[in-house]
Amino acid sequence: MALVLLKLSTVLTVILAPSLGVFTLWRNPRNPVNRLWFATSLAVTVWSVGYLLAIFATDASAARLYLRLVYAGATFIPILYFHFLTRFLLKPRAALLVVGYAGATA
């Protein structure tokens, strides 16, 4: 039962995250806040697709490959969300953003 709920919640995340990101971008694509929310939603989508594929993997080597996708998305979620918040709240933190993006790409 717990595994079914895990799969269901992951599928919902795979559907809702990009939908909300595209909807937000569609409303005003020139707004930097909307673009940052779209990027955050895209990172969550990459993470959740990799997680879903890892759940359904039939062997360890495939699961390992999908977990690389999970980590590729997961490393950018915190800094993208922080960047989104700084723009949304109009509180620029350029130095922290540089350090955060450097840490995410390292």
Side-chain angles (χ1 to χ4, degrees):
M1 179 65 178
L3 190 57
V4 172
L5 291 175
L6 178 68
K7 290 177 183 178
L8 179 64
S9 65
T10 307
V11 168
L12 286 173
T13 305
V14 167
I15 295 167
L16 290 176
S19 300
L20 291 172
V22 168
F23 175 74
T24 304
L25 192 63
W26 174 73
R27 298 277 296 175
N28 186 358
R30 294 180 187 259
N31 187 344
V33 173
N34 290 3
R35 288 188 302 214
L36 283 167
W37 181 253
F38 174 75
T40 304
S41 298
L42 190 63
V44 170
T45 302
V46 169
W47 169 75
S48 56
V49 165
Y51 191 65
L52 188 65
L53 291 172
I55 290 171
F56 284 108
T58 56
D59 59 271
S61 64
R64 230 176 284 121
L65 176 68
Y66 298 140
L67 286 176
R68 287 180 182 224
L69 185 63
V70 167
Y71 291 122
T75 56
F76 285 98
I77 293 170
I79 189 60
L80 283 169
Y81 187 65
F82 178 71
H83 195 172
F84 164 75
L85 285 178
T86 59
R87 283 289 189 143
F88 183 74
L89 298 174
L90 302 173
K91 296 190 181 262
R93 304 276 193 254
L96 288 175
L97 289 173
V98 169
V99 170
Y101 280 113
T105 57

